[in-house]
Amino acid sequence: MFFQKEIETLTRKQIEAVQLERLKRIVAYAYDNVPFYTRRMDEAGVKPKDIATLKDVTKLPFTAKEDFRTNYPYGLFARPMRDIVRIHASSGTTGKPVVVGYTKNDLDVWSDIVARFIVATGGCADDVVQNAFGYGLFTGALGLHMGWEKVGATVVPISSGNTERQVMLMRDLGVTALVATPSYGLYIGETLAKMGLSPADLKLRLGFFGAEASTKETHEQLSKMLGVVTNDNYGLTEVMGPGVAGECSFKCGMHIAEDHFLAEIVDRDTFEPLDEGETGELVITTLTKEGVPVLRYRTKDLTSITKEPCRCGRTMARMSKVVGRTDDMLIIRGVNVFPSQIESVLMEMEEVANSYEIVVDRVGYMDTIEVLVEITDVSLLLDYGKLEALREKIRARFRQVLQIDVKVKLVEPMSLKRFEGKARRVVDKRKQ
């Protein structure tokens, strides 16, 4: 199934022609309407007329999250406030929030590209959708809300929290699709079991999980606990929100909305362009965003891109699951460790639950890492031999995957914090 088949099945030549036309237009638009880009491009010695091919995008300077914060709140806006119909912002947990604005056309485009990956996964007008993203300035809730409405589905805007009530309404309203963060989806699954229910008691069939990094193993666990076909999708506040890319039913990468975004992969150290299939940092240029056009935004997300047409018939490039963020990467005794690697190991093991916490510290001059892991069977706490065998099994697997020793602490079921929004798994005491 397609939402916009004619667009989603363009040839590579047609896609690149659309991108080049829109790239030329957006660069001129940003230069003429955003003083920040006027100044940056002048400093780099590049003018809009210098963009003659798609490869010329590399002549443009990068944009970073800090640029949004130093131009807070409206310094990167290209349109007067009378043309801005919606404001969204990031959480701002590390400083001033990232503030973005949308014109009416921006919202129309946004709902269209979200609708694309919803339909690609099997969503349709007959679905009843429980949206358990937290509503507010966060782009996820309203982004998915608009996309599902564009498809014609019935949306239940429940937001996050009060999890037993969430399960009750899922059952009573005949909910067929769930929107949530992966961590909250797991918590809903735990609550479902705690209430003596199983997926067979619900009509759920689809799960759309985003807003935080998650592994293939986590999606398999979500599928098992909730009885759903899961969808992985990608987006970020700075360039739009969810909808930049999303999976189809074949689950072989996330289709990028290439008619609205030009994606590059660059070396995370040298920032030089990498070849198709190589893993590096994703850089995005918005091609149609009116409220806040963004040129070469450094996402800090590590992924790869393939332009091979997909078995589903879609021809737009696919990005692989994000393997980590350059700013989430932990360097432990000279070894790069991504939280996603730790999650993958834990999700392989039936003896441990879905919640974990990574504690990084410094003892003397040595960095240490400890992972707190919930067990599923509380009786293990009374059997030291079995408990120690499980702990060593996890440690051995960590050594194999991470190439360093990791301290493992097994804790009681339901003893670690649950998250209704984005999960915060890492406690870095070195920064305290």
Side-chain angles (χ1 to χ4, degrees):
M1 293 292 291
F2 294 86
F3 180 70
Q4 295 172 319
K5 185 174 182 179
E6 185 176 339
I7 298 172
E8 295 176 73
T9 57
L10 292 171
T11 65
R12 174 53 41 189
K13 184 176 181 179
Q14 290 171 323
I15 291 169
E16 292 180 353
V18 169
Q19 287 185 316
L20 181 56
E21 177 190 351
R22 292 180 173 181
L23 176 63
K24 291 178 178 179
R25 186 188 309 150
I26 203 70
V27 170
Y29 176 74
Y31 185 85
D32 292 340
N33 294 282
V34 184
F36 167 81
Y37 281 120
T38 310
R39 184 174 66 255
R40 275 288 180 87
M41 289 174 63
D42 285 347
E43 290 171 353
V46 59
K47 300 293 184 183
K49 62 180 177 59
D50 297 326
I51 307 301
T53 70
L54 288 178
K55 288 185 178 181
D56 288 336
V57 72
T58 60
K59 297 177 180 179
L60 300 170
F62 291 108
T63 307
K65 184 183 289 286
E66 190 57 33
D67 295 321
F68 280 85
R69 290 184 172 142
T70 55
N71 287 278
Y72 173 88
Y74 299 138
L76 295 184
F77 282 39
R79 299 288 277 270
M81 292 306 292
R82 65 176 177 271
D83 293 337
I84 302 296
V85 299
R86 175 93 63 79
I87 294 286
H88 278 286
S90 67
S91 59
T93 53
T94 57
K96 291 284 189 182
V98 168
V99 174
V100 292
Y102 301 77
T103 65
K104 185 179 183 304
N105 185 65
D106 289 337
L107 294 185
D108 288 341
V109 168
W110 191 9
S111 60
D112 282 345
I113 60 178
V114 172
R116 287 183 195 175
F117 73 73
I118 288 173
V119 172
T121 303
C124 65
D126 294 326
D127 280 305
V128 178
V129 186
Q130 190 151 314
N131 193 343
F133 271 153
Y135 279 75
L137 291 175
F138 166 55
T139 58
L142 284 168
L144 268 293
H145 186 123
M146 293 187 304
W148 274 107
E149 285 190 338
K150 184 64 75 81
V151 170
T154 303
V155 181
V156 182
I158 194 168
S159 196
S160 58
N162 202 339
T163 309
E164 289 193 2
R165 181 170 178 264
Q166 297 254 4
V167 174
M168 179 193 75
L169 288 176
M170 267 185 218
R171 192 179 187 187
D172 294 348
L173 299 179
V175 170
T176 59
L178 172 67
V179 174
T181 61
S183 53
Y184 192 46
L186 292 171
Y187 186 37
I188 290 173
E190 289 178 340
T191 303
L192 181 71
K194 184 180 176 183
M195 294 171 67
L197 300 173
S198 74
D201 295 303
L202 306 175
K203 293 185 178 180
L204 273 182
R205 67 185 190 90
L206 299 173
F208 290 76
F209 302 105
E212 65 186 24
S214 59
T215 62
K216 173 176 172 286
E217 292 78 9
T218 296
H219 278 250
E220 290 172 351
Q221 186 72 356
L222 284 162
S223 181
K224 178 181 177 181
M225 295 176 74
L226 296 171
V228 295
V229 173
T230 66
N231 170 279
D232 198 8
N233 52 84
Y234 179 83
L236 59 167
T237 300
E238 293 84 350
V239 301
M240 183 65 87
V244 173
E247 283 185 325
C248 66
S249 57
F250 286 95
K251 300 179 74 66
C252 53
M254 292 176 279
H255 293 271
I256 301 169
E258 288 193 279
D259 50 331
H260 297 291
F261 306 100
L262 179 63
E264 307 169 66
I265 300 293
V266 302
D267 185 282
R268 66 188 185 191
D269 297 316
T270 66
F271 308 123
E272 290 299 314
L274 295 179
D275 292 333
E276 181 177 341
E278 291 189 283
T279 297
E281 183 178 343
L282 176 65
V283 174
I284 296 175
T285 296
T286 64
L287 297 176
T288 57
K289 188 90 178 291
E290 295 177 341
V292 182
V294 183
L295 306 182
R296 301 197 81 198
Y297 183 73
R298 289 190 56 201
T299 68
K300 303 290 187 74
D301 290 322
L302 300 175
T303 184
S304 62
I305 289 177
T306 178
K307 295 179 181 177
E308 292 182 4
C310 181
R311 286 179 290 165
C312 71
R314 291 170 178 81
T315 53
M316 292 193 177
R318 285 167 286 144
M319 59 179 281
S320 62
K321 180 179 283 292
V322 173
V323 297
R325 289 179 57 83
T326 57
D327 51 1
D328 283 347
M329 183 177 70
L330 303 169
I331 302 177
I332 309 296
R333 300 190 291 279
V335 177
N336 297 340
V337 175
F338 291 100
S340 60
Q341 294 174 296
I342 291 172
E343 181 175 299
S344 292
V345 168
L346 297 177
M347 290 296 172
E348 292 174 353
M349 301 184 179
E350 295 183 358
E351 303 95 328
V352 301
N354 306 307
S355 290
Y356 62 94
E357 185 175 281
I358 304 167
V359 180
V360 183
D361 204 351
R362 180 169 290 128
V363 179
Y365 296 101
M366 185 74 71
D367 290 332
T368 64
I369 182 169
E370 179 180 33
V371 181
L372 281 61
V373 186
E374 286 184 6
I375 56 174
T376 54
D377 184 359
V378 72
S379 67
L380 273 179
L381 295 173
L382 303 176
D383 190 325
Y384 179 79
K386 289 183 179 178
L387 196 69
E388 186 62 19
L390 175 58
R391 190 175 70 86
E392 186 51 42
K393 174 184 174 182
I394 297 171
R395 287 188 64 199
R397 184 67 176 130
F398 279 149
R399 278 196 297 270
Q400 183 181 15
V401 172
L402 305 177
Q403 304 299 309
I404 59 171
D405 280 317
V406 174
K407 185 177 179 181
V408 175
K409 182 178 180 180
L410 300 176
V411 299
E412 293 182 11
M414 304 301 291
S415 61
L416 295 177
K417 184 177 180 181
R418 264 53 180 176
F419 297 91
E420 296 173 353
K422 292 186 179 183
R424 295 178 179 86
R425 304 289 194 189
V426 180
V427 177
D428 195 339
K429 294 185 176 179
R430 298 173 302 180
K431 299 178 180 179
Q432 296 178 0

